[in-house]
């Protein structure tokens, strides 16, 4: 009952503050989902896009083959129809956001589906072929790859399996639907929740056709294009962005970054790690975990198998399981000692899934020692770890601050533009380093670390919509708590702010910029830094 009341309040709020047009010839596509913070943010973006393009708004189900099956049963079809007709629950929310109707990606031209399937399945002989797959010159292999392992809850893919082939055929049906839909309708813009998984398929097709594509969340807004078709890749332009920052502000930002990282490494709180429920640093909790000897010691810091391996693009290995399997093989050839620590996200959220996969892997590779997940990084450093291995993890930053070399198995990661890690440029190069640890040398530039941190966590604020997004999260318990509607209406919204948000988005839409960031938000960065430090670091 409480959820229905909160939804009703938000619907009434939107009806009062946004006036949308209907029955226009062109269309704006918006992903239909249940995430309340996106509803707040997308209401603003939709209003601005409709004013620019004079287009009707259509909601679509993007979660087929991501969270649900593609083909619905009779009950699910009736539920969808009645929800749309009577504006029930999230259908009512979306109608208050200007949506006129809602579509499900059904496609019944079996001849076309079979032709596409038979043509493209032949080209998928291995995982790398799948990763690189393009259909009609649109890169979709990464989307299929990440969606399949997440949907099926598998650490990797067997492209020869019937399970994968059936999934791929379902993807072909969705692709054919969207190909025809874009060809038959005048689409002006697409809004998605993610730029990964099959959720991003309409975005990829839009970008290929030079149609505006956005990833919109209450903490960020990105405009994608052929150069940047993924969100959260701010690192690509980081160095150029930093050159445009006032020298005094840059120095202040570097100083604040140094303080924040010191606080994070102290273990008092997980500063600027939005997903962390607890810190991975701090006091020693376990008896000694590393052997006390002079052997070279590697730490493998794992990733979540299911959490989009291709979030930043392609790496040396097609997924995190393949990466670990490679390291296992290397450990058997190596004179070094090998240790593995499960990522906190895996330990907290995947309820043993990753641990069981890793334990089975380590039976094949007994030279790798699994250390307790709650072992602090401070203990690992104190006991004498020599080098840390990751693909895209935050340990690349954290261990570098502690003067420990980090090798990433990727040239497409957040740190690659900065000088404090080693980024292997090929599997051959990676293998050579791992088998010859004396060659592992990196001049860790601490200023580079702090510049990266400033750009990532301070300059690129999460506060384009809310006054203090992290504080709001702490207040309501989770960003996806539906009480965010009430928080927005009662605590955040006022007419002046409302107009300013619309103005900022209009300017952003008219620009060629990648992210609605610091250039569009009236903020005193110096005051923001001081206020943050007073609240969180003192």
């Amino acid at each position: 009952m409480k959820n229905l009341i909160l939804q009703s309040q938000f619907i009434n709020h939107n009806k009062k503050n946004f006036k949308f047009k209907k029955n226009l010839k062109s269309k704006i596509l918006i992903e239909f989902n249940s995430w309340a913070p996106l509803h707040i943010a997308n209401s603003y973006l939709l209003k601005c896009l409709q004013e620019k393009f004079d287009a009707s708004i259509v909601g679509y189900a993007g979660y087929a083959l991501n969270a649900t099956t593609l083909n619905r049963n009779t009950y699910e079809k009736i539920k969808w129809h009645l929800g749309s007709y009577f504006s029930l629950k999230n259908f009512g929310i979306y109608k208050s956001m200007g949506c006129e109707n809602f579509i499900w990606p059904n496609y019944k031209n079996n001849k076309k589906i079979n032709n596409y399937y038979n043509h493209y399945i032949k080209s998928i002989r291995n995982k790398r072929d799948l990763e690189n797959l393009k259909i009609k010159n649109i890169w979709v292999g990464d989307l299929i790859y990440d969606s399949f392992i997440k949907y099926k809850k598998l650490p990797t893919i067997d492209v020869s399996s019937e399970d994968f082939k059936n999934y791929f055929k379902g993807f072909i049906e969705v692709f054919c639907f969207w190909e025809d839909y874009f060809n038959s309708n005048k689409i002006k813009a697409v809004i998605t929740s993610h730029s990964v998984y099959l959720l991003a398929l309409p975005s990829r097709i839009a970008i290929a056709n030079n149609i505006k594509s956005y990833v919109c969340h209450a903490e960020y807004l990105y405009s994608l294009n052929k150069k940047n078709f993924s969100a959260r890749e701010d690192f690509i332009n980081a160095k150029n962005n930093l050159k445009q920052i006032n020298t005094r502000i840059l120095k202040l930002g570097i100083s604040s970054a140094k303080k924040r990282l010191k606080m994070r490494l102290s273990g008092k709180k997980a500063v600027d790690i939005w997903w962390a429920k607890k810190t991975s640093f701090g006091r020693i909790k376990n008896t000694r975990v590393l052997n006390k000897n002079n052997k070279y010691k590697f730490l493998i810091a794992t990733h979540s198998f299911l959490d989009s391996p291709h979030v930043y693009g392609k790496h040396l290995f097609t997924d995190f399981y393949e990466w670990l399997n490679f390291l296992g093989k290397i450990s058997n050839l190596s004179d070094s000692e090998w240790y593995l620590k499960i990522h906190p996200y895996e330990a907290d959220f995947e309820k043993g899934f990753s641990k069981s996969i890793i334990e089975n892997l380590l039976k094949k590779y007994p030279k790798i020692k699994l250390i307790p997940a709650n072992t602090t990084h401070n203990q690992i450093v104190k006991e004498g770890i020599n080098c840390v291995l990751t693909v895209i993890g935050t340990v690349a930053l954290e261990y570098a601050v502690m003067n420990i070399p980090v090798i990433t198995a990727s040239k497409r990661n957040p740190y690659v533009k900065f000088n404090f890690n080693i980024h292997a440029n090929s599997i051959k190069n990676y293998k050579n380093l791992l088998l010859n640890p004396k060659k592992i040398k990196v001049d860790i530039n601490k200023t580079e670390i702090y510049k990266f941190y400033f750009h990532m966590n301070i300059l690129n604020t999460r506060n384009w919509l809310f006054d203090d997004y992290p504080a709001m999260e702490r207040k309501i318990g989770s960003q996806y708590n539906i009480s965010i509607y009430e928080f927005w209406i009662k605590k955040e919204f006022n007419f002046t702010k409302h107009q300013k948000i619309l103005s900022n988005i209009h300017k952003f839409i008219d620009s060629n910029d990648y992210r609605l960031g610091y250039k569009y938000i009236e903020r005193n960065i110096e005051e923001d830094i001081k206020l943050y430090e007073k609240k969180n670091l003192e």
Side-chain angles (χ1 to χ4, degrees):
M1 180 59 73
K2 182 182 178 182
N3 286 359
L4 291 176
I5 292 171
L6 292 174
Q7 287 177 326
S8 178
Q9 288 175 347
F10 182 69
I11 288 169
N12 291 333
H13 169 82
N14 264 11
K15 287 180 177 178
K16 179 181 177 181
N17 292 287
F18 297 101
K19 303 298 179 185
F20 291 98
K21 300 177 184 178
K22 294 184 178 182
N23 300 317
L24 302 170
K25 291 183 179 181
S26 301
K27 293 180 180 178
I28 298 165
L29 295 174
I30 172 75
E31 179 191 309
F32 180 75
N33 58 57
S34 61
W35 295 319
L38 277 66
H39 301 161
I40 299 170
N42 284 327
S43 296
Y44 282 93
L45 180 56
L46 284 167
K47 176 62 178 173
C48 294
L49 288 174
Q50 188 174 76
E51 288 181 356
K52 180 174 180 63
F53 294 120
D54 201 33
S56 288
I57 299 167
V58 177
Y60 69 90
Y63 45 82
L65 293 179
N66 285 282
T68 65
T69 58
L70 178 59
N71 297 314
R72 300 168 293 168
N73 59 37
T74 302
Y75 170 75
E76 289 167 334
K77 291 178 181 178
I78 292 173
K79 186 178 176 181
W80 176 273
H81 176 75
L82 292 178
S84 174
Y85 185 81
F86 291 107
S87 302
L88 302 177
K89 297 183 178 181
N90 287 310
F91 289 98
I93 294 288
Y94 272 77
K95 286 190 177 181
S96 79
M97 294 159 58
C99 280
E100 291 182 48
N101 52 64
F102 302 87
I103 57 176
W104 184 278
N106 287 118
Y107 194 74
K108 297 306 177 186
N109 185 339
N110 290 326
K111 183 178 179 180
K112 182 175 179 178
I113 292 171
N114 289 331
N115 286 341
Y116 273 41
Y117 173 81
N118 291 331
H119 175 76
Y120 288 104
I121 196 67
K122 292 176 183 177
S123 65
I124 305 174
R125 294 156 298 186
N126 53 51
K127 298 176 188 182
R128 191 66 79 183
D129 287 341
L130 171 60
E131 183 183 57
N132 292 328
L133 180 67
K134 291 184 178 181
I135 296 181
K136 295 299 185 74
N137 209 33
I138 300 170
W139 184 35
V140 294
D142 62 320
L143 306 183
I144 303 167
Y145 202 120
D146 292 2
S147 294
F148 179 78
I149 61 176
K150 190 173 184 69
Y151 183 60
K152 295 293 184 177
K153 290 184 171 54
L154 295 169
T156 191
I157 290 179
D158 176 1
V159 297
S160 66
S161 71
E162 289 302 312
D163 209 17
F164 171 73
K165 291 176 181 178
N166 289 335
Y167 186 89
F168 183 69
K169 193 162 189 177
F171 162 77
I172 291 295
E173 181 177 337
V174 176
F175 183 91
C176 289
F177 171 85
W178 283 119
E179 183 181 43
D180 280 14
Y181 192 89
F182 274 80
N183 289 336
S184 303
N185 294 274
K186 194 173 183 180
I187 311 299
K188 290 293 186 178
V190 173
I191 306 172
T192 64
S193 64
H194 292 69
S195 58
V196 293
Y197 307 118
L198 294 190
L199 292 167
L201 180 57
S203 173
R204 294 282 175 92
I205 295 174
I207 292 168
N209 289 281
N210 298 310
I211 295 168
K212 287 281 189 177
S213 178
Y214 299 91
V215 176
C216 184
H217 196 289
E219 58 178 320
Y220 50 75
L221 172 55
Y222 289 95
S223 176
L224 310 182
N225 54 52
K226 290 178 180 178
K227 290 184 178 180
N228 295 100
F229 47 73
S230 294
R232 301 192 185 193
E233 292 187 337
D234 305 273
F235 62 88
I236 292 173
N237 298 312
K239 285 297 184 78
N240 289 332
N241 291 341
L242 289 171
K243 288 178 182 178
Q244 299 171 28
I245 301 301
N246 176 282
T247 303
R248 183 173 60 83
I249 297 299
L250 181 58
K251 287 181 179 178
L252 185 64
I254 290 172
S255 174
S256 184
K258 187 175 182 179
K259 292 176 186 176
R260 295 188 193 199
L261 276 169
K262 184 178 180 181
M263 177 68 80
R264 183 190 293 188
L265 300 183
S266 74
K268 292 180 181 179
K269 61 172 66 176
V271 178
D272 292 325
I273 304 180
W274 62 268
W275 49 263
K277 288 187 176 181
K278 54 190 176 184
T279 177
S280 297
F281 295 86
R283 63 185 179 83
I284 295 173
K285 298 179 181 180
N286 299 309
T287 55
R288 188 175 183 91
V289 295
L290 306 188
N291 293 329
K292 196 172 183 178
N293 55 42
N294 294 323
K295 285 193 173 184
Y296 198 91
K297 295 173 174 62
F298 286 106
L299 173 68
I300 304 168
T302 69
H303 299 275
S304 166
F305 292 117
L306 307 182
D307 193 19
S308 188
H310 296 90
V311 62
Y312 297 121
K314 292 182 281 190
H315 311 296
L316 294 188
F317 303 93
T318 57
D319 57 47
F320 300 134
Y321 182 89
E322 285 292 316
W323 170 62
L324 288 180
N325 195 53
F326 176 85
L327 293 179
K329 292 176 181 177
I330 293 295
S331 72
N332 284 343
L333 303 173
S334 168
D335 293 327
S336 301
E337 289 189 348
W338 295 77
Y339 299 88
L340 184 146
K341 185 175 185 294
I342 295 179
H343 191 280
Y345 183 95
E346 296 174 343
D348 287 346
F349 299 105
E350 292 185 6
K351 299 179 181 178
F353 169 80
S354 291
K355 186 177 180 182
S356 65
I357 297 296
I358 288 169
E359 286 176 342
N360 286 331
L361 256 180
L362 297 193
K363 288 177 183 177
K364 293 169 57 180
Y365 307 115
K367 277 195 172 184
I368 301 177
K369 178 183 176 182
L370 178 65
I371 63 177
N374 66 344
T375 306
T376 68
H377 292 298
N378 304 72
Q379 177 176 348
I380 294 169
V381 171
K382 186 175 181 180
E383 292 185 9
I385 202 70
N386 297 111
C387 181
V388 178
L389 307 177
T390 184
V391 181
I392 56 174
T394 61
V395 291
L397 175 79
E398 295 152 349
Y399 273 83
V401 175
M402 296 187 285
N403 297 306
I404 305 297
V406 178
I407 306 175
T408 72
S410 173
K411 291 289 286 184
R412 187 80 180 182
N413 67 71
Y415 321 102
V416 73
K417 299 291 183 179
F418 292 81
N419 183 26
F420 52 83
N421 298 144
I422 299 170
H423 306 290
N425 54 34
S426 68
I427 292 177
K428 182 180 179 180
N429 170 232
Y430 195 45
K431 180 179 180 180
N432 186 41
L433 287 170
L434 298 179
L435 291 177
N436 300 280
K438 289 183 179 180
K439 294 182 179 181
I440 298 174
K441 295 178 182 179
V442 55
D443 182 14
I444 297 173
N445 187 323
K446 293 289 183 72
T447 301
E448 287 279 285
I449 294 173
Y450 303 136
K451 282 183 177 180
F452 168 84
Y453 195 97
F454 168 62
H455 184 268
M456 191 76 171
N457 296 299
I458 302 174
L459 184 62
N460 279 322
T461 176
R462 298 169 70 193
N463 300 329
W464 77 270
L465 190 64
F466 284 79
D467 292 339
D468 190 336
Y469 194 88
M472 178 276 296
E473 280 186 301
R474 292 191 295 270
K475 183 76 173 177
I476 68 172
S478 167
Q479 61 176 325
Y480 294 113
N481 189 327
I482 197 171
S483 62
I484 195 173
Y485 292 141
E486 184 177 36
F487 190 96
W488 173 254
I489 295 167
K490 293 184 177 180
K491 302 290 186 180
E492 293 275 343
F493 181 85
N494 62 66
F495 187 72
T496 301
K497 179 178 180 179
H498 175 73
Q499 292 297 114
K500 189 62 183 175
I501 292 169
L502 291 170
S503 175
N504 289 343
I505 295 175
H506 273 299
K507 291 175 184 176
F508 175 66
I509 289 171
D510 290 337
S511 75
N512 292 315
D513 285 346
Y514 173 56
R515 178 174 181 170
L516 192 158
Y518 60 93
K519 290 191 289 184
Y520 296 93
I521 302 167
E522 286 186 6
R523 60 186 289 236
N524 186 318
I525 298 176
E526 184 173 354
E527 288 301 315
D528 280 358
I529 290 173
K530 290 178 180 178
L531 182 61
Y532 180 93
E533 291 181 358
K534 185 175 181 180
K535 285 182 178 180
N536 298 281
L537 304 184
E538 294 179 2

